[in-house]
Amino acid sequence: MPDLVTGEAFLQLFRDFQAAAFRLEVRTSYGIPEEDEPYRRFLVGEDPGLDWFEPWLRLMREETAKGKRVERVRVVDEPPSDYLRFELWGTPQNLAAGEDIRYLARSLVANLGLPLYDFWLFDNRTVALLKFGENDRFLGVALSDDPAEIQRHTSYRDAAWRSAVTFEEYEKEHTHPQ
């Protein structure tokens, strides 16, 4: 496996891209240490707060203020996993920071030929494949600028984006207890 990009080097990808970053999210759980305590609070019905989330939101506000697009398609089950409910709780904050997040029913993934792994696509030039270890712990990303990989992931992005619905549309059709 190639060296994984982590930490500040991973965040630098968001400062360096020029026009558009897209992520496909297919997992039902993400083990991110900074989220452990807020997620625990969410699960017991407490307010998770936003302090832990602010570094990401600040980065998104800074980059989208420059005219960059940050888009995601989240694959969601019905009913969604606890972690996906946690993400739904935080989505209004992502949207307010300038991200555009759409939702896609898991039942559509196979028909659209989408992969069963997460990735970021930066400026149609770099694919960042997200890697996870035990307990869904995020390990980092493996980068590729191979033209065939770029083309394949661009087609995944286009298919997912065409079929996904906005957060508002998703919320209108689904109500989930916190």
Side-chain angles (χ1 to χ4, degrees):
M1 180 183 306
D3 289 339
L4 296 181
V5 175
T6 62
E8 265 311 304
F10 173 65
L11 294 176
Q12 192 63 41
L13 294 169
F14 295 92
R15 295 180 189 100
D16 291 345
F17 83 92
Q18 299 298 305
F22 170 85
R23 179 170 174 184
L24 179 66
E25 297 180 11
V26 300
R27 299 175 64 86
T28 59
S29 179
Y30 294 88
I32 301 170
E34 297 82 9
E35 294 180 356
D36 287 348
E37 181 58 21
Y39 181 51
R40 184 203 64 76
R41 288 196 306 259
F42 174 82
L43 289 177
V44 299
E46 297 174 5
D47 179 1
L50 293 174
D51 291 347
W52 60 277
F53 204 9
E54 190 52 40
W56 177 259
L57 297 173
R58 184 173 38 256
L59 177 61
M60 291 300 98
R61 285 190 297 270
E62 289 169 0
E63 298 308 315
T64 59
K66 297 173 185 173
K68 298 178 181 182
R69 290 188 334 272
V70 179
E71 303 168 334
R72 301 183 197 223
V73 170
R74 287 184 175 149
V75 174
V76 65
D77 297 295
E78 222 20 78
S81 68
D82 287 342
Y83 188 86
L84 288 172
R85 287 188 311 106
F86 178 58
E87 285 190 320
L88 287 162
W89 167 87
T91 297
Q93 301 300 321
N94 294 91
L95 298 175
E99 291 186 71
D100 187 349
I101 301 177
R102 309 283 172 105
Y103 289 84
L104 180 68
R106 188 166 306 277
S107 61
L108 299 176
V109 169
N111 290 343
L112 294 172
L114 298 178
L116 299 178
Y117 57 85
D118 285 34
F119 68 88
W120 279 101
L121 177 64
F122 296 97
D123 290 331
N124 295 337
R125 283 194 223 147
T126 304
V127 174
L129 302 175
L130 282 75
K131 302 296 183 180
F132 297 86
E134 289 185 40
N135 299 317
D136 297 316
R137 284 295 189 208
F138 176 63
L139 301 175
V141 297
L143 300 178
S144 173
D145 60 2
D146 175 69
E149 287 294 307
I150 300 298
Q151 183 177 8
R152 182 171 29 262
H153 287 83
T154 299
S155 69
Y156 294 153
R157 178 204 57 208
D158 295 347
W161 195 256
R162 274 193 308 272
S163 298
V165 298
T166 65
F167 177 69
E168 293 78 16
E169 291 171 296
Y170 179 82
E171 285 289 287
K172 278 186 209 170
E173 295 187 18
H174 303 86
T175 56
H176 305 108
Q178 295 228 120

